[in-house]
Amino acid sequence: MNLSKKSIKAHGQGLEKLSNEQEDEYLKQINSWSINKEKEPHILHKTFQFSSFNEAIEFANKIAELAEKENHHPDILIRFKKVVLEFKTNHLQCLTDNDFIMAMKVDELTQN
């Protein structure tokens, strides 16, 4: 299924754990994200590099605004000029459509 045709679902609206095959299919639709499958829950992650600490903070703040708007929040780690984002659906402790939709939305933010 094409991620761009999907929207974030609220808790209790039919979110389901994705199979390994579904995760791999969605991964092809987003730019340079990875999945840590070494342990459960699987985690979708990406590292973003910036030229300054302030740019990294500005990016993290944009992600925070998007996460609040969509009510789906990543773990955000700031390491000087790097920002690491990690998504999983916390209340289900797995990857769902929402995680990949948010990754796509983050990629769209970085293209603007």
Side-chain angles (χ1 to χ4, degrees):
M1 175 58 112
N2 190 329
L3 285 173
S4 65
K5 297 181 190 280
K6 292 182 165 262
S7 57
I8 297 290
K9 292 181 182 176
H11 295 206
Q13 286 191 343
L15 280 175
E16 296 179 5
K17 179 179 180 177
L18 296 174
S19 68
N20 286 338
E21 293 78 20
Q22 289 169 309
E23 290 175 359
D24 293 340
E25 185 59 37
Y26 282 158
L27 196 58
K28 294 175 189 174
Q29 298 179 45
I30 53 181
N31 187 24
S32 301
W33 288 77
S34 300
I35 300 173
N36 181 349
K37 293 186 178 187
E38 293 178 14
K39 59 183 177 178
E40 291 291 334
H42 292 175
I43 296 173
L44 181 64
H45 61 93
K46 184 173 181 177
T47 300
F48 297 83
Q49 182 71 44
F50 297 92
S51 60
S52 71
F53 177 73
N54 282 338
E55 284 183 19
I57 293 296
E58 288 172 10
F59 176 72
N61 286 332
K62 286 180 185 178
I63 300 307
E65 287 176 26
L66 173 64
E68 279 296 298
K69 177 183 168 203
E70 297 292 347
N71 196 28
H72 194 70
H73 304 84
D75 290 332
I76 303 173
L77 175 63
I78 302 168
R79 291 191 170 134
F80 186 40
K81 296 190 248 180
K82 291 182 182 178
V83 176
V84 179
L85 297 181
E86 295 183 343
F87 282 103
K88 72 177 180 302
T89 300
N90 290 314
H91 73 284
L92 295 176
Q93 287 298 298
C94 64
L95 289 176
T96 67
D97 288 356
N98 283 359
D99 302 301
F100 289 88
I101 294 166
M102 285 297 292
M104 183 186 66
K105 289 178 180 282
V106 168
D107 285 344
E108 289 171 355
L109 272 180
T110 62
Q111 295 170 4
N112 294 332

